[in-house]
Amino acid sequence: MLYAIVATDVANSLDARLAARPAHLERLQVLKGEGRIVLAGPNPAVDSNDPGAAGFTGSLIVAEFDSLSAAQAWADADPYIAAGVYASVVVKPFKQVLP
């Protein structure tokens, strides 16, 4: 089943986000390689694909997991959590309708 992982950053998270980004992306590449990721990306803090120093306010990942508990465990192990980037993370089932 698909699960949405919706994370909200702490204020001024850009430096911590940049430092942890390689490890964060490495985990996403594993999901991609397994064909389990639908989409993933950050929420720019301003209306721009490249927010520069404004940074980001959070992230969204939609991926396939065996269960809600498996999705939660995966989300809990994100390097952004260990680095203090995320203030909160919500994991919930997702039903893809389009495309």
Side-chain angles (χ1 to χ4, degrees):
M1 178 164 190
L2 294 178
Y3 295 89
I5 301 169
V6 181
T8 302
D9 283 21
V10 298
N12 303 310
S13 64
L14 187 57
D15 288 342
R17 185 179 263 275
L18 292 174
R21 188 170 190 260
H24 172 78
L25 291 178
E26 185 177 320
R27 296 179 78 237
L28 291 172
Q29 287 296 333
V30 171
L31 289 181
K32 180 182 177 187
E34 296 170 348
R36 295 171 44 201
I37 197 158
V38 174
L39 62 87
N43 304 110
V46 294
D47 192 12
S48 172
N49 281 328
D50 182 5
F56 301 91
T57 62
S59 301
L60 170 65
I61 299 166
V62 177
E64 184 177 347
F65 293 92
D66 290 335
S67 65
L68 177 58
S69 61
Q72 185 69 59
W74 188 90
D76 289 345
D78 195 299
Y80 281 172
I81 290 177
V85 173
Y86 291 155
S88 65
V89 178
V90 175
V91 180
K92 53 187 169 180
F94 180 81
K95 180 180 175 184
Q96 183 175 3
V97 175
L98 294 172

